[in-house]
Structure formats: structure tokens, C-alpha cells
Amino acid sequence: MSAHQSLSATSAPRRRSINAAGQAAGLWWLSDTAGAVLFAACLAAFIASWTAEALTAQAWGLLAGIVTSGLLRAGVQAMAGLSGQRTATRAKSDLRRRVMAALLPSGQLRGRLIGEDLRVAIDDVEAHEGLIARFQPLRLAAMLSPLIIAVAVAFASWFSALILLTTLIPFGAGMALAGLAGKAEADRQFLALSRLSGLFVDRVAALPAILAFGAEDRVARQIGGAAREVAARTMQVLKIAFVSSAMLEFFAALSVALVAVYCGFSLLGLLPFPAPEELSLGEAFFALALAPEFYLGMRRLAAAYHDKQQGQAAERSVAAALDLVHSVAPTAPGVWPDPISELRAEGLTIRYDDGICIGPITACWGAPGLHVVTGPTGVGKSSLLHALIGLARVSAGRIILNDADVAAGALTGLTGWAGQRPLLLPGTLADNLRLGGNGLEPQDLAHLIAASGLSDLIAARGEDLMIDPRGSGLSGGERRRIGLVRAIASGRPLLLLDEPTADLDPATAAQVIALLKDAASTRLVIAATHDPALIAEATSRVVMA
């Protein structure tokens, strides 16, 4: 199944709703075509009844009709734009929720830069606006309005209608070729933009390390090269857009010119061939007034054609990202009905996209209890913990919970997680401590805070201390303990902790170890660590080499 088909299949009701709303907006644009016919009819009749002496009552009525039809067209166009915009806003909101929910938990598993995922969730979703709000409604009008105009013109001058339809044939062939070329270039442009966004966000996040190692020039060259590629791809897209616009304007001008020459020469009796029909001034003016309207729907569509290319390229980008999530995503976590008695890993092998392979790993952890995973730095202790909750790809082996095989990541709903870099959200210290533990009584949370050694921080700086996602102003040990408090406060039966006592002085580390022993009396606690004091208190130890 292709990425585009996958997106269509996973969001069929949403797409049907969007298409229905787009057709409603398209009907507004068709109403504008009807208004154009009314305007031309009133204008032609007014010109035909014009006398130099005075305006007759009929002429005044026709003049009022001209003004009314003009105002009607303005109102219809405004309603068409408003209807399309409302549809696009609803569709973007729905799609962004789905994409964010799919991408955020799986970025590490897919090996994608955070900037690439942010581009998909923000920029690519936003790029759907032009496709939904403008192109899709205009497409219906562009298909039908030339036929409506041609039929209306045919009542006054069938030969003028034939001229208009004849110019449509080479125009359609040229636009089809331009559309095929534009699609390929739009896809390449979107890929280049995705790479640039991912690279830029990733390098900004790593800016302190870049400055520390003096790598500014190399990073600037990388970003510069990616930016030049985006510029080159954008110029290719614009070239095709300019060619298609020039082609449209040429045939639109040609059709108006041919109708004008035919009508004028027919009225003057100067046609170089036998006149195919008798034209009055009103009929000739009616045909000439509607000639520019014949290509107006397609000119509007051409103005929105870049929106279509961008929107469809974004749609394929979103679909590809969701397909990748589905290909690597673990089984959806659920609530395990029985208490955890044992967790085992048998021959677990972890393989990353760059070829690094960790394992096979075999371990058995009984519950309740405190267990540690030890080994040299870089041996894969964190990767083992990540694999248990679906943050690292398992290529072989089994994860067994209470004698039942479970998929990698299916333990997520049972797990309280505290990594080396805990997630911190913009807000107060109290907000971050309560994250995930909303059901915990205030006195119980206060006990956890005291047991983790964070009471001094709160006493000195207050619960209302504002912190940013980097945890600016907090030490590494304070950030780790915030993550540890949240993991324990979650009340989940499995705790996975990555270096919980790192960056702590011996006294504070002893407090944290005591807290972990207390938690391990009722839960399964697995910690990756180098700390000899924590290792000494463990029920079991897995040594990775």
C-alpha cells in the first residue's frame, strides 16, 4: 500500500467530510459563474438599449440589474472563500492531533530528528490549507464553469462558443504536462525542506556542544548546503509555475481576442469568409462580455495550483511519516490485569539504523524487588531499558511478562520511566512534579519530595519556580530527581530508571537509594547504574559487557 493510499485508508471518514465541504464551497464558485452570466446579460441589454437622449425606464432597470449582479458576485465569492477556509481549519486541527499523537512517542524508535517530525506536524499539516480551502473548491468550478459559459454564449453566438471550446484543447494538453513536471519537483522541494528543518532544529538544540567543540564553521556549511538545495528546488517549482501561468494567460488572451475580432468583423460585415450567423449588437456584446469568464475558473485554479502541489506533497509526506510509525510502532499499551510477578528478556537483540547491534541479552527480574543493570559506559544499558518500552527497535528475542510473551513497547502503560534527561515542560516546578501523578494525595507527593531530597530546593526557590524545557537553573541531579518523583508518583507497577543516582552527592544519593528500596517493596524496579552503593542494595544484577 502506498503512503498516499495509507493516509486515505486511515482517514476515509475525514476525507469524505472534507470533500463534501469542498463541494459546498465549489457550488458557491459555480454560483459566481451564474452571476457572471446575469451580469453580462444585463450589460449587453443595457448597451443595446442605450440612447444618447435619455435613459429609459428599461435602461434604469438594466442598470440596477448590473449593480445587483455585481454585488451578488462579490458576496458569493466571499462566502466561497469563507466556506473553504472553515473546512481547512477543521481538517488541519484534526490532522495535527493525529500526527502529533503518532509522531511524538515514536521519534527515537524511528531514528528521526525532532526537527523533521516538527516539520511534518506543523509545516506539512499547515500546507494542507491551500489544497483544502482553495484548490479543491475551485476544481469543481473550473471543470463546469467553462461549459456553463460556452452554453450561455452559444445562445447568442454558437460560433463564438465554438472558438472558446477550440482554444481549450491545446490548453488542457499543455497544463497536463506542466502538472506532471510540477508534481515531481514539489516532492523534491518538500524533501529538501524537511531535511533543512530537521538539521536546523537539531543543531540549535546542540548549540552549546557545537560552540564547546568549535564546530561552528562545519555546522554553518552543513546548513548552508541544505539551504542552497532548498533554494534550487524552489526555483524549479517556480519555473514550472511561471510556464503554466504563461500558457494559461496566452490561451485566455487568445480566446478573447478571437471572439472580439469575430464579433466586430461580423457586425461590420468584414468577415473574410461567409458569415455563419447573424449577430445583433446585444448578442455580440453578450458573447464578448462572457469571453473572459470562460477561462476565469481555470485562472483561479491555476493561481491555486501551487497550493495543490504543496498540499499533495505535504499529504504524501504526512502519510509516509505515519506509515513509518506503523511499521515500527509497538503494540498499543494496555492495562495488565494481574500483578507483575516476573519480567524476562530472552535473547533480546537491539539493532539501530546505523548498524549498531546490542545483545543478545538474557535477564530475569522478579517482582517485587530492586534490580540493577551494570556495565561500561556505552555498552547498551539504556538501550535495554528503551527496548522494554518500545523506544529502541528489537530485532530478535522475546520479552516475557508473567510467562506470557508481550510485544516490545506493550509495557508502556505499566511503566513509570525516569531517564537521564527527564522531560520538563514549560511551567512551574509544582506542575512538573505533579505531571502523571494527578491522582496522588498532596501529603503523599510531599512525602516523595522529601524522600528524594527536593525539599531544600522547594524551600529555597518555591513551588512556583518557573522552569523551561532545558531545566535552566536546575542542576543535573535536581532534574533527575524530578523525573524520579514523577515515575514513582505515577503508581505504575514497573519502574525503569536510567542512572537515578548520577550527579548526586553521597548523602542525597543515599536518600534516593532508600526511596528506591521502599518503592521496590511493592513494585518491580529496574535501574541502569554505575553506583556501587545502589548495586550493593539490589536483589539481582545483570552485567552487560
Side-chain angles (χ1 to χ4, degrees), residues 22-35 73 76-81 84 133-134 136-142 145 300:
Q23 290 174 0
L27 292 176
W28 281 109
W29 286 114
L30 281 178
S31 300
D32 179 59
T33 302
R73 293 192 69 184
V76 164
Q77 291 172 20
M79 288 301 299
R134 291 181 288 277
Q136 288 183 346
L138 286 170
R139 180 171 54 186
L140 177 65
S145 62
R300 287 170 173 163

Coordinates of all heavy atoms in Angstrom, one line a residue, residues 22-35 73 76-81 84 133-134 136-142 145 300:
G22 N -15.8 20.7 0.6 CA -15.1 21.3 -0.6 C -16.1 21.5 -1.7 O -16.1 22.5 -2.4
Q23 N -17.0 20.5 -1.9 CA -18.0 20.6 -3.0 C -19.0 21.7 -2.7 O -19.5 22.4 -3.6 CB -18.7 19.3 -3.1 CG -17.9 18.2 -3.7 CD -18.6 16.8 -3.7 OE1 -19.7 16.7 -3.3 NE2 -17.9 15.8 -4.2
A24 N -19.3 21.9 -1.4 CA -20.2 23.0 -1.0 C -19.6 24.3 -1.3 O -20.2 25.2 -1.9 CB -20.5 22.9 0.5
A25 N -18.3 24.5 -1.0 CA -17.6 25.7 -1.4 C -17.5 25.9 -2.9 O -17.6 27.0 -3.5 CB -16.2 25.8 -0.8
G26 N -17.4 24.7 -3.7 CA -17.3 24.8 -5.1 C -18.6 25.2 -5.7 O -18.7 25.9 -6.7
L27 N -19.8 24.9 -5.0 CA -21.1 25.3 -5.5 C -21.2 26.9 -5.4 O -21.8 27.5 -6.2 CB -22.2 24.7 -4.7 CG -22.3 23.1 -5.0 CD1 -23.4 22.6 -4.0 CD2 -22.7 22.9 -6.4
W28 N -20.5 27.4 -4.4 CA -20.5 28.9 -4.3 C -19.8 29.5 -5.5 O -20.2 30.5 -6.0 CB -19.8 29.3 -3.0 CG -20.7 29.2 -1.7 CD1 -20.6 28.3 -0.7 CD2 -21.8 30.0 -1.4 NE1 -21.5 28.5 0.2 CE2 -22.3 29.6 -0.2 CE3 -22.4 31.1 -2.0 CZ2 -23.4 30.2 0.5 CZ3 -23.5 31.7 -1.4 CH2 -24.0 31.3 -0.2
W29 N -18.7 28.9 -5.9 CA -17.9 29.4 -7.0 C -18.8 29.2 -8.3 O -18.7 30.1 -9.2 CB -16.6 28.7 -7.2 CG -15.6 29.1 -6.1 CD1 -15.0 28.4 -5.2 CD2 -15.0 30.4 -6.0 NE1 -14.2 29.1 -4.4 CE2 -14.1 30.4 -4.9 CE3 -15.1 31.6 -6.7 CZ2 -13.4 31.5 -4.5 CZ3 -14.4 32.7 -6.3 CH2 -13.5 32.6 -5.2
L30 N -19.5 28.1 -8.4 CA -20.4 28.0 -9.6 C -21.5 29.0 -9.6 O -21.9 29.5 -10.7 CB -21.0 26.6 -9.6 CG -20.1 25.4 -10.1 CD1 -20.8 24.1 -10.0 CD2 -19.7 25.7 -11.5
S31 N -22.0 29.4 -8.4 CA -23.0 30.5 -8.3 C -22.4 31.8 -8.8 O -23.1 32.6 -9.4 CB -23.4 30.6 -6.9 OG -24.0 29.4 -6.4
D32 N -21.1 31.9 -8.6 CA -20.4 33.1 -9.2 C -20.5 33.1 -10.7 O -20.6 34.2 -11.3 CB -19.0 33.2 -8.7 CG -18.2 34.4 -9.2 OD1 -18.7 35.5 -9.0 OD2 -17.2 34.2 -9.9
T33 N -20.4 31.9 -11.3 CA -20.5 31.8 -12.8 C -21.9 32.2 -13.2 O -22.0 33.0 -14.2 CB -20.1 30.4 -13.2 OG1 -18.8 30.0 -12.8 CG2 -20.2 30.3 -14.7
A34 N -22.9 31.8 -12.5 CA -24.2 32.2 -12.8 C -24.4 33.7 -12.7 O -25.1 34.4 -13.5 CB -25.2 31.5 -11.9
G35 N -23.8 34.3 -11.7 CA -23.8 35.7 -11.5 C -23.1 36.4 -12.7 O -23.6 37.5 -13.1
R73 N -22.2 38.8 -7.0 CA -20.9 38.1 -7.3 C -19.9 38.3 -6.2 O -19.2 37.4 -5.7 CB -20.3 38.5 -8.6 CG -21.1 38.1 -9.8 CD -20.3 38.4 -11.1 NE -19.2 37.4 -11.2 CZ -18.3 37.4 -12.2 NH1 -18.3 38.4 -13.1 NH2 -17.3 36.5 -12.2
V76 N -21.0 36.2 -3.2 CA -20.8 34.8 -3.4 C -19.3 34.4 -3.3 O -19.0 33.4 -2.7 CB -21.4 34.4 -4.8 CG1 -20.8 33.1 -5.3 CG2 -22.9 34.4 -4.8
Q77 N -18.5 35.2 -3.9 CA -17.0 35.0 -3.8 C -16.5 35.0 -2.3 O -15.7 34.2 -1.9 CB -16.2 36.0 -4.6 CG -16.4 35.8 -6.1 CD -15.8 37.0 -6.9 OE1 -14.9 37.7 -6.4 NE2 -16.3 37.1 -8.1
A78 N -17.1 35.9 -1.5 CA -16.7 36.0 -0.1 C -17.2 34.7 0.6 O -16.4 34.2 1.4 CB -17.3 37.2 0.5
M79 N -18.4 34.3 0.3 CA -18.9 33.1 1.0 C -18.1 31.8 0.6 O -17.9 30.9 1.4 CB -20.4 32.9 0.7 CG -21.3 33.9 1.3 SD -21.2 33.8 3.2 CE -21.7 32.1 3.5
A80 N -17.7 31.8 -0.7 CA -16.9 30.6 -1.2 C -15.6 30.6 -0.4 O -15.1 29.5 0.0 CB -16.7 30.8 -2.7
G81 N -14.9 31.7 -0.3 CA -13.6 31.7 0.4 C -13.8 31.4 1.9 O -13.0 30.6 2.5
G84 N -14.5 27.6 2.3 CA -13.3 26.8 2.2 C -12.3 26.9 3.3 O -11.7 25.9 3.8
A133 N -8.7 24.7 1.2 CA -9.5 25.9 1.2 C -9.7 26.5 -0.1 O -10.7 27.1 -0.4 CB -8.8 26.9 2.1
R134 N -8.7 26.3 -1.0 CA -8.8 27.0 -2.3 C -8.9 26.0 -3.5 O -9.8 26.1 -4.3 CB -7.6 27.9 -2.5 CG -7.7 29.1 -1.5 CD -6.5 30.0 -1.7 NE -5.3 29.5 -1.2 CZ -4.9 29.5 0.1 NH1 -5.7 30.1 1.0 NH2 -3.7 29.0 0.5
Q136 N -9.4 22.6 -4.0 CA -10.5 21.6 -4.1 C -11.8 22.3 -4.4 O -12.5 21.8 -5.3 CB -10.6 20.8 -2.8 CG -9.4 19.8 -2.7 CD -9.6 18.9 -1.5 OE1 -10.4 19.1 -0.6 NE2 -8.7 17.9 -1.4
P137 N -12.2 23.4 -3.8 CA -13.4 24.0 -4.2 C -13.4 24.6 -5.6 O -14.4 24.5 -6.4 CB -13.6 25.2 -3.2 CG -12.8 24.7 -2.0 CD -11.7 24.0 -2.5
L138 N -12.2 25.2 -6.0 CA -12.1 25.8 -7.3 C -12.1 24.7 -8.4 O -12.4 25.0 -9.6 CB -10.8 26.6 -7.4 CG -10.9 28.0 -6.6 CD1 -9.5 28.6 -6.6 CD2 -11.9 28.9 -7.3
R139 N -11.6 23.5 -8.1 CA -11.6 22.5 -9.1 C -12.9 22.2 -9.7 O -13.1 22.0 -10.9 CB -10.9 21.2 -8.5 CG -10.8 20.1 -9.5 CD -10.0 18.9 -8.9 NE -10.5 18.5 -7.6 CZ -9.9 17.6 -6.8 NH1 -8.8 17.1 -7.2 NH2 -10.5 17.2 -5.7
L140 N -13.9 22.1 -8.9 CA -15.3 21.8 -9.4 C -15.8 22.9 -10.3 O -16.3 22.7 -11.4 CB -16.3 21.6 -8.2 CG -17.7 21.4 -8.5 CD1 -17.9 20.1 -9.3 CD2 -18.6 21.5 -7.3
A141 N -15.5 24.2 -9.8 CA -15.9 25.3 -10.7 C -15.1 25.4 -12.0 O -15.7 25.7 -13.0 CB -15.7 26.6 -9.9
A142 N -13.8 25.0 -11.9 CA -13.0 25.1 -13.1 C -13.4 24.1 -14.1 O -13.3 24.3 -15.3 CB -11.5 24.9 -12.7
S145 N -17.5 25.5 -15.0 CA -17.8 26.9 -15.4 C -17.5 27.2 -16.9 O -18.3 27.9 -17.6 CB -17.1 27.9 -14.6 OG -15.7 27.7 -14.7
R300 N -8.3 31.1 -11.8 CA -8.3 30.9 -10.4 C -7.7 29.6 -9.9 O -6.9 29.6 -8.9 CB -9.8 31.0 -9.9 CG -10.4 32.4 -10.0 CD -11.9 32.3 -9.7 NE -12.5 33.6 -9.6 CZ -13.8 33.8 -9.7 NH1 -14.7 32.8 -9.9 NH2 -14.3 35.0 -9.6

